[in-house]
Amino acid sequence: MAMENPTSTGKVPSLNMPYRTFWEKTRPIQVAILFLLPSLILFSVFVFYPLFRTIYLSFFLTNQKGLPTVFVGFDNFIQLFQSADFLQSIEATFLFVLYTVPASVVISLFLALLANEKLKGIHFFRTIFASSLGVSVAAASVTWLFIFNPTMGVLNRMISFFGIPEINWLADPHWALLAVSITTIWLNLGFSFLIILGGLQNIDQSLYESSSIDGAGYFYQLRRITIPMLSPTLFFIMTVSLINAFQTFGQIDLLTGGGPGQTTNLMVYAIYKDAFVNFNFGKASAEVVILFLLILIVTLLQFKFVEKKVHYQ
Amino acid sequence: MKRKMIVAVFLLMSSVLLSACSGLSHADDNRIQIVFWHSMAGPPLEALNKIVNDFNQSQDEIYVKPEYQGSYEESLAKFRRVGGTANAPNIYQAQDIGSKYMMESGDIVPVQKLMDEEHYNMNQLEKNIRNYYTVNGKLYSMPFNSSTPVVLYNADAFNKAGLDPNKPPETYSQFREAAKKLTQANKGMKGFSFLNYPWFFEELLAVQGGEYINQNNGRTGLATKATFNSQKGLNIFKWLREMQKDGTLANYGTSGDNESSGFLTQKVGMFMSSSASMAEMFKNAPFKVGVAYIPRPDNIERQGVVIGGASLWLSKGKSAKEEKAAFAFMKYMASPKAQADWHIHTGYFPINPGAYKEPIIIKNYKKTPQFKVAVNQFHDTKSTYATRGPMMTLMPQSRVIMSRAIDDLYQGKNLQQSLDTAADHVNEAIAQMNLANKK
């Protein structure tokens, strides 16, 4: 914060100047604001204004052009919490988070541990494992659309080889959310892998050397050195994946369109439909506000409970 | 000396690049540029580009720039944002069910105005299609791509199942029977597929003379209630449920691509399709493709089909010169020649009956007479409020709602209840919209 500390300039305040103007007193704040100005302007235009505008719109009904017309107070929110569809959408979102976040962190940790070994040609595998980072959501979804295709898809051919009956991955309400989750985990892998690998390589090698001298085995080292030293990285990955999972849109739009039977209608997709198909900006804005609060709460909880276990060097 | 050479080469190269760029954007000539937003992809896009190119080359005053804006839903969302501003396109292709919004938006000029000014002979356009886009005696938009639903079937599989491919089924029970035989006789094939695309439900309702919303399908006043949860609506669901129980109904969810690939790989014997994808199916299927009228209940007389597809709208607020140029392009799009090309390469049918006399159509009908089935089905339609189709601003939303009811059907839920719930949701949405739009 802007604390006023006359000694911070390094000069002893002159006794001849007992009185300073307000302008002079607030000098540090002025300088700070000047430096912050570019980001303040950008944030105001692209974050703060839309945020407040959304909160404002959530209290209104909007007409067919999306302009607010009738003030309804908290009606939009009340209606949402009474609507089975919206509650289902929240449930689906949480399920989706549950399916994707732990799985992508665990799998990418596993891959990173493998790729961290010093072997010949390991760079090839590192590149392969990180490659989904370079694939856009749209391209990945279309590829998976082919994989999931009920008639010609690779996946169904594979399972029918083992005598399992064909599964209608994207049209069967029991499988659709799982199918979208698989796609998402695959998409997340590249990024998580790369960050975790970076974290692994930052761990001081002398720790391993000295523990080896003490006779520690691989798994003991993993548990006592690698995971604790990696915990800041893992925490970062978890937080980022969590927020990403809450905001998933592209895969849903391309793979299922929120169907079948609402089972993959995640919140952001529900918001999109209400806003841009139904042109119901009031309701959509209320959903946005709820999503915002949910992410805020979950992230705060994460910082409160999970971060305690994080070991910062 | 050497350096000078290099500089010269670079200068030359960049000037070539620059001129190439300007050549692409056509910024250097004096033609009036008309921006045309559309939603055509795949083979229809190729056909559209050809027509636009033909137009651009046929004269040197107007240059039409087509811009793909995503699906009909996506482009409508965009137009709603820019309509009436300088960023609005000169011509906008709006889906049939977006028509009501367009008429009320205040961002468009009814084409009737230019037709009157230029004494355009409206009678050359197909009457049934004109009717769809006419309200209070005023034609609002230029019809362009009109399609109807048809049933496409695998004629080879029909032969195998002992069915006559020249006498396709007509009624619900005949379809059910045929689906059974197809499933039995062809390994790995399901008899029928019904995509979760509520347009087909709307059509199956209209063919029975059922109305989707009250106020005569919203044609004589503002609709206030959904009426699709009637006995006629239930007929459709019951029939599909029966086939589902028979194990003859394939479920491809909302993915039309998966459905057509299922048909092409002989996993599905018959499916409801838009006539607009006929040309593509004829071209790609490794078997003979038959075309049939859409099914009706056994005890109800066939009323016909509602026109689907899209039409072209003129933006308001453009200069008179641009307006006239845009209209000139519309006239070209509606001409017999352009419509004949369009029909043959897509399966959308000619909105200008003059096209049927074009040699390209006559030649093609000899080769693939199936094209004619769709046209005949359309011409057999009785003009009623049911077959003129529902007019309501909320149609896009009602499709989202109906899509859920169709999911319920596939998941084995109570049919009447699913339809009633959908109707309730539509009614709520109507009530809320009327409240929001009062001011």
Side-chain angles (χ1 to χ4, degrees):
Chain A
M1 288 305 283
M3 274 190 295
E4 220 216 323
N5 187 353
T7 57
S8 68
T9 54
K11 283 184 203 159
V12 180
S14 159
L15 289 173
N16 300 342
M17 271 175 64
Y19 173 76
R20 295 195 308 152
T21 59
F22 178 75
W23 180 249
E24 280 167 343
K25 270 196 222 166
T26 53
R27 192 94 197 171
I29 305 179
Q30 290 162 23
V31 175
I33 287 181
L34 197 67
F35 276 107
L36 285 173
L37 206 58
S39 69
L40 275 180
I41 291 173
L42 284 177
F43 269 103
S44 316
V45 173
F46 293 108
V47 179
F48 300 136
Y49 172 72
L51 178 68
F52 290 117
R53 177 77 185 169
T54 305
I55 295 173
Y56 171 79
L57 278 176
S58 70
F59 296 119
F60 283 87
L61 292 182
T62 51
N63 68 6
Q64 281 293 307
K65 291 200 143 190
L67 302 170
T69 49
V70 185
F71 180 78
V72 290
F74 282 95
D75 267 12
N76 282 331
F77 292 92
I78 295 167
Q79 273 183 19
L80 279 175
F81 281 111
Q82 285 169 348
S83 131
D85 289 343
F86 183 66
L87 295 179
Q88 198 190 351
S89 171
I90 295 184
E91 190 194 323
T93 309
F94 274 96
L95 272 179
F96 179 77
V97 170
L98 203 68
Y99 290 165
T100 55
V101 177
S104 18
V105 174
V106 170
I107 298 175
S108 43
L109 175 64
F110 175 72
L111 291 178
L113 286 172
L114 285 183
N116 198 31
E117 299 295 326
K118 290 188 180 58
L119 296 171
K120 217 175 185 182
I122 197 69
H123 290 289
F124 172 72
F125 289 99
R126 285 183 189 165
T127 315
I128 292 289
F129 292 160
S131 61
S132 73
L133 182 64
V135 181
S136 70
V137 175
S141 304
V142 172
T143 312
W144 280 90
L145 207 55
F146 283 117
I147 296 175
F148 288 131
N149 186 307
T151 44
M152 308 181 304
V154 185
L155 206 55
N156 269 352
R157 284 198 191 170
M158 257 160 45
I159 63 169
S160 66
F161 180 76
F162 294 107
I164 305 167
E166 284 184 357
I167 294 170
N168 206 344
W169 292 99
L170 297 171
D172 184 329
H174 301 109
W175 290 102
L177 191 61
L178 204 70
V180 178
S181 302
I182 294 173
T183 311
T184 309
I185 292 170
W186 183 83
L187 263 170
N188 285 347
L189 276 189
F191 177 70
S192 312
F193 166 80
L194 209 65
I195 300 288
I196 294 178
L197 185 65
L200 281 176
Q201 299 196 329
N202 262 339
I203 300 176
D204 194 345
Q205 286 301 314
S206 61
L207 289 172
Y208 292 106
E209 283 161 15
S210 54
S211 70
S212 296
I213 296 169
D214 293 340
Y218 177 79
F219 286 101
Y220 192 81
Q221 283 183 345
L222 181 68
R223 207 150 42 90
R224 289 304 167 98
I225 299 173
T226 312
I227 303 285
M229 297 302 284
L230 202 58
S231 55
T233 314
L234 288 177
F235 182 67
F236 168 75
I237 284 292
M238 272 162 72
T239 312
V240 171
S241 322
L242 193 89
I243 294 174
N244 273 341
F246 269 110
Q247 299 181 340
T248 300
F249 173 79
Q251 302 94 297
I252 304 290
D253 189 36
L254 286 160
L255 289 173
T256 62
Q262 295 273 84
T263 44
T264 61
N265 197 18
L266 303 190
M267 287 179 79
V268 174
Y269 196 71
I271 292 166
Y272 160 76
K273 273 207 164 157
D274 272 326
F276 298 108
V277 180
N278 301 342
F279 257 69
N280 204 334
F281 280 98
K283 189 177 164 201
S285 298
E287 289 171 31
V288 172
V289 172
I290 293 171
L291 177 67
F292 168 70
L293 292 176
L294 276 181
I295 297 183
L296 189 71
I297 291 168
V298 172
T299 312
L300 283 178
L301 285 178
Q302 213 180 8
F303 268 92
K304 193 162 162 41
F305 293 107
V306 184
E307 208 198 9
K308 274 188 188 154
K309 301 206 170 70
V310 172
H311 174 87
Y312 289 107
Q313 256 182 315
Chain B
M1 192 62 203
K2 219 176 181 182
R3 230 182 72 198
K4 265 189 184 165
M5 277 288 284
I6 294 171
V7 169
V9 167
F10 267 107
L11 277 176
L12 199 71
M13 266 165 60
S14 47
S15 65
V16 167
L17 267 176
L18 276 178
S19 60
C21 290
S22 60
L24 280 177
S25 65
H26 285 261
D28 53 354
D29 56 31
N30 298 319
R31 299 164 86 164
I32 307 169
Q33 182 164 291
I34 298 298
V35 177
F36 168 32
W37 279 14
H38 66 82
S39 295
M40 299 285 97
L45 175 64
E46 282 166 37
L48 181 71
N49 281 341
K50 186 184 169 285
I51 298 175
V52 172
N53 271 341
D54 286 352
F55 175 77
N56 283 338
Q57 275 162 18
S58 71
Q59 39 72 46
D60 54 10
E61 277 164 20
I62 305 163
Y63 182 79
V64 174
K65 195 171 159 219
E67 287 177 2
Y68 176 69
Q69 294 291 342
S71 68
Y72 287 133
E73 288 81 9
E74 287 162 357
S75 80
L76 184 60
K78 287 183 197 167
F79 187 83
R80 284 177 138 171
R81 275 293 181 222
V82 301
T85 70
N87 292 327
N90 298 86
I91 301 177
Y92 170 65
Q93 182 194 29
Q95 186 184 14
D96 46 8
I97 56 169
S99 304
K100 180 81 171 167
Y101 168 79
M102 295 297 291
M103 287 172 194
E104 289 171 353
S105 70
D107 297 333
I108 55 102
V109 181
V111 288
Q112 184 84 52
K113 182 185 149 230
L114 280 113
M115 287 183 172
D116 291 347
E117 281 171 16
E118 302 193 6
H119 306 289
Y120 181 78
N121 177 14
M122 250 174 34
N123 293 328
Q124 63 179 295
L125 305 177
E126 181 91 51
K127 188 161 176 286
N128 283 344
I129 303 178
R130 246 191 301 146
N131 275 344
Y132 187 98
Y133 299 105
T134 302
V135 170
N136 295 333
K138 210 192 264 177
L139 184 63
Y140 272 83
S141 60
M142 182 65 106
F144 169 56
N145 55 321
S146 291
S147 61
T148 55
V150 287
V151 173
L152 298 184
Y153 60 91
N154 181 332
D156 294 1
F158 262 55
N159 277 326
K160 238 181 166 179
L163 294 158
D164 182 359
N166 296 318
K167 240 184 121 254
E170 277 183 38
T171 66
Y172 282 0
S173 59
Q174 287 169 5
F175 266 95
R176 194 177 162 197
E177 208 44 47
K180 268 188 203 164
K181 285 185 180 159
L182 284 169
T183 313
Q184 279 161 10
N186 297 275
K187 200 175 163 272
M189 180 184 278
K190 295 240 183 192
F192 194 81
S193 168
F194 182 81
L195 192 69
N196 186 346
Y197 187 60
W199 178 53
F200 294 123
F201 175 87
E202 291 158 25
E203 293 285 355
L204 288 173
L205 190 67
V207 83
Q208 309 174 43
E211 284 167 14
Y212 193 80
I213 40 179
N214 68 354
Q215 299 284 4
N216 294 319
N217 248 350
R219 291 275 173 178
T220 53
L222 266 185
T224 54
K225 251 183 79 162
T227 53
F228 56 73
N229 54 339
S230 58
Q231 180 59 41
K232 285 171 178 162
L234 189 63
N235 285 342
I236 305 167
F237 269 32
K238 272 188 173 160
W239 167 64
L240 290 167
R241 176 59 62 76
E242 279 167 359
M243 286 201 290
Q244 194 189 15
K245 281 189 179 152
D246 291 344
T248 56
L249 186 66
N251 175 13
Y252 286 98
T254 52
S255 168
D257 287 342
N258 280 358
E259 190 187 45
S260 21
S261 70
F263 179 68
L264 292 174
T265 52
Q266 318 222 27
K267 304 259 177 182
V268 169
M270 309 180 277
F271 75 112
M272 281 191 75
S273 162
S274 163
S275 63
S277 43
M278 283 193 306
E280 199 188 344
M281 289 296 151
F282 295 153
K283 207 172 99 189
N284 295 334
F287 47 82
K288 193 165 178 273
V289 178
V291 180
Y293 283 21
I294 63 170
R296 63 173 172 87
D298 297 61
N299 54 357
I300 294 179
E301 204 189 329
R302 181 180 298 279
Q303 300 290 310
V305 286
V306 184
I307 196 75
S311 63
L312 308 177
W313 297 77
L314 265 181
S315 268
K316 200 173 172 174
K318 304 283 177 187
S319 70
K321 223 169 96 187
E322 283 188 26
E323 221 168 65
K324 261 183 120 60
F327 186 64
F329 175 61
M330 285 184 171
K331 283 193 291 191
Y332 181 83
M333 297 280 265
S335 67
K337 186 184 164 295
Q339 282 293 318
D341 262 0
W342 183 237
H343 174 51
I344 292 306
H345 291 111
T346 59
Y348 284 110
F349 40 72
I351 54 129
N352 188 331
Y356 294 114
K357 293 193 200 95
E358 292 283 318
I360 176 173
I361 287 196
I362 295 168
K363 209 177 100 200
N364 242 280
Y365 277 3
K366 271 190 194 132
K367 214 175 89 199
T368 33
Q370 299 101 304
F371 265 120
K372 265 202 282 201
V373 181
V375 178
N376 290 343
Q377 177 182 234
F378 175 60
H379 284 148
D380 287 349
T381 296
K382 296 170 188 148
S383 182
T384 64
Y385 287 122
T387 58
R388 283 178 71 181
M391 251 314 163
M392 173 169 74
T393 322
L394 281 175
M395 278 312 283
Q397 186 166 357
S398 93
R399 284 203 177 159
V400 174
I401 294 168
M402 260 321 286
S403 170
R404 247 175 271 164
I406 297 171
D407 271 330
D408 285 352
L409 162 82
Y410 277 113
Q411 289 171 35
K413 296 201 180 140
N414 182 297
L415 299 177
Q416 183 68 59
Q417 230 166 31
S418 306
L419 281 171
D420 288 347
T421 311
D424 284 349
H425 281 150
V426 172
N427 293 343
E428 272 166 34
I430 294 175
Q432 201 171 43
M433 182 191 75
N434 288 343
L435 188 64
N437 285 346
K438 228 175 242 167
K439 264 193 184 171

